[in-house]
Amino acid sequence: MTETAPLRIPDYSGGSLPNLVAELEWRLTGSAPFDRLHPHLSDRIPDAASYVLMMIDGLGNHQLGHPRAWSLAAARQGTLDAPFPTTTTVSLATVASGLPPSRHGVIGHFMLLEGHPHPVNVLRWVDSTGRPVPVRRHTIPSPNLWERLAAAGIEPITVQPRGYSDTPLTRVLYRGCRFEGVDSMSDFVQAVLDLARVPGRLVFAYFPEVDISAHVHGFGSEAYADALSQAADAWERLSALLPPRVRMVGTADHGLVTIEKAGKHRIRRRHHPDLVLYGDPRSLYVQGPADRIEALGAEVPATWYPARQMESWWGPLGDPAEDAARQARPDGAFLADAGRVLLPGHMDRRMVGYHGGLDPREVRIPLLVAAT
């Protein structure tokens, strides 16, 4: 077993992504269903008639040290925690709901859905055998953030690559939100500028390229440096051109860690037929007989955490009826050791960058605020 990395449990009391979303919702509508940011973070965000929330997918706080990210680093006003597990589907569901995973119910890249026999990749809505799964548009509880904003007279709009406009995940996450598809970086900047100028809007601008390049090519690649440059350029241009009554706040959905080929531990399904394996490669959820889980634990480079120790990782509950994640919760999870990932056959072995665990590099994300 390799050295276990320190764990960073998300601070849902005021220092996490759902608190940031609640902060913006409260400023625009006067109410929010979740706690706002801690005062020392909230004070860094100016009041405004409209807000832009720019999410740079895969931009962990530790990644701001890259030379191409200097303007993003200069805009950092604090640090937040991504929700657990630190993966895109969970954080995007957090934005779309304004709630932590315990209350919106999306608790992994692969999840168990009631009535379906295999774990479902909720990014693509296919199961672990590769078969398409019917999309459940009400996976996110109603009313979601967009519906609450609209009911309060605030128009929600998201700006994203046009190719995402009719994906299954988009249909799940953006119910009630106007979708503006763009084809280039200049289109992205212009769309955000045009849309945000109207008072009484929340524009959610989603930038995926940093995450994609880190996954495929790694932190040392030119592709990753180019993606950071694009994100930084978009941030600089928007900061300079948005009118004073509009304020832009930036953050990420998670950070990443590099995993070398030797750190990829494959788990062969035929050796563990009694176990259901889902979640993420850095935090592998397991359901099954205790003795079979123990047998798997003897072979994987990871630490086992039973579900009772994980309750705080997903966030606090509201009304017991809001425990949307209950049916999908595992018997526990194996958190991969530092520099390791756990890879059942349905999880991707080709990547360089990974996320999903509680290593501080995966959890800590920046709070960016455009200069006024």
Side-chain angles (χ1 to χ4, degrees):
M1 180 177 291
T2 58
E3 181 182 355
T4 302
L7 302 187
R8 171 76 190 187
I9 309 302
D11 173 17
Y12 294 108
S13 69
S16 67
L17 179 62
N19 303 117
L20 172 60
V21 178
E23 181 71 35
L24 297 181
E25 181 178 2
W26 186 90
R27 287 167 181 251
L28 289 168
T29 71
S31 66
F34 197 60
D35 294 338
R36 298 167 59 193
L37 288 171
H38 293 308
H40 73 277
L41 295 170
S42 175
D43 289 348
R44 300 301 183 98
I45 302 175
D47 290 328
S50 287
Y51 283 99
V52 173
L53 175 58
M54 183 172 174
M55 176 169 278
I56 304 172
D57 194 327
L59 185 69
N61 192 64
H62 73 101
Q63 295 160 237
L64 291 181
H66 193 286
R68 302 282 184 93
W70 70 268
S71 63
L72 298 171
R76 179 171 49 192
Q77 295 294 315
T79 307
L80 304 173
D81 293 333
F84 175 81
T86 48
T87 197
T88 300
T89 51
V90 175
S91 286
L92 289 181
T94 292
V95 172
S97 65
L99 298 169
S102 58
R103 292 173 61 183
H104 64 60
V106 177
I107 62 165
H109 181 64
F110 279 87
M111 282 180 51
L112 297 184
L113 298 181
E114 187 175 8
H116 196 81
H118 304 289
V120 174
N121 177 336
V122 292
L123 188 66
R124 303 184 182 281
W125 285 82
V126 297
D127 68 19
S128 57
T129 71
R131 295 185 178 90
V133 176
V135 177
R136 302 182 184 185
R137 293 200 65 187
H138 286 272
T139 298
I140 304 298
S142 294
N144 63 21
L145 172 68
W146 322 119
E147 292 164 337
R148 294 193 303 271
L149 289 172
I154 303 299
E155 184 179 12
I157 307 172
T158 185
V159 178
Q160 302 197 27
R162 192 177 304 279
Y164 296 166
S165 64
D166 195 35
T167 65
L169 187 64
T170 291
R171 296 200 294 274
V172 169
L173 293 178
Y174 299 105
R175 184 183 70 243
C177 184
R178 174 179 166 185
F179 189 102
E180 286 289 327
V182 296
D183 297 310
S184 66
M185 182 52 56
S186 60
D187 288 348
F188 178 87
V189 171
Q190 192 61 53
V192 173
L193 285 172
D194 292 342
L195 293 166
R197 287 190 174 114
V198 177
R201 284 178 169 175
L202 176 64
V203 178
F204 177 56
Y206 175 69
F207 185 90
E209 280 79 5
V210 172
D211 180 69
I212 294 168
S213 62
H215 274 308
V216 176
H217 302 289
F219 295 149
S221 67
E222 190 58 31
Y224 176 73
D226 286 345
L228 282 177
S229 293
Q230 291 181 49
D233 181 61
W235 179 268
E236 291 175 55
R237 290 166 63 191
L238 288 168
S239 299
L241 296 173
L242 283 168
R245 65 178 179 273
V246 180
R247 293 291 181 256
M248 183 168 65
V249 179
T251 191
D253 52 348
H254 56 74
L256 295 99
V257 293
T258 298
I259 305 296
E260 304 294 342
K261 184 176 181 180
K264 299 178 180 182
H265 183 93
R266 297 181 63 180
I267 299 175
R268 303 196 181 273
R269 174 67 181 161
R270 66 179 182 271
H271 295 164
H272 304 281
D274 298 328
L275 299 179
V276 180
L277 306 175
Y278 58 114
D280 294 81
R282 293 275 299 149
S283 55
L284 186 67
Y285 293 163
V286 186
Q287 282 189 357
D291 61 329
R292 302 309 304 157
I293 294 174
E294 184 177 358
L296 176 60
E299 73 174 57
V300 296
T303 302
W304 172 252
Y305 292 88
R308 66 180 181 275
Q309 293 184 25
M310 300 171 61
E311 293 294 324
S312 65
W313 300 2
W314 292 299
L317 299 176
D319 185 291
E322 293 181 311
D323 185 6
R326 179 64 63 184
Q327 69 182 26
R329 289 190 183 179
D331 294 322
F334 285 108
L335 285 195
D337 291 345
R340 308 301 294 267
V341 287
L342 310 178
L343 296 167
H346 55 278
M347 295 189 185
D348 199 331
R349 303 189 300 272
R350 300 167 296 173
M351 297 190 297
V352 178
Y354 284 84
H355 50 80
L358 288 173
D359 184 307
R361 294 170 296 174
E362 298 165 277
V363 177
R364 300 296 272 163
I365 54 177
L367 172 63
L368 312 177
V369 179
T372 58

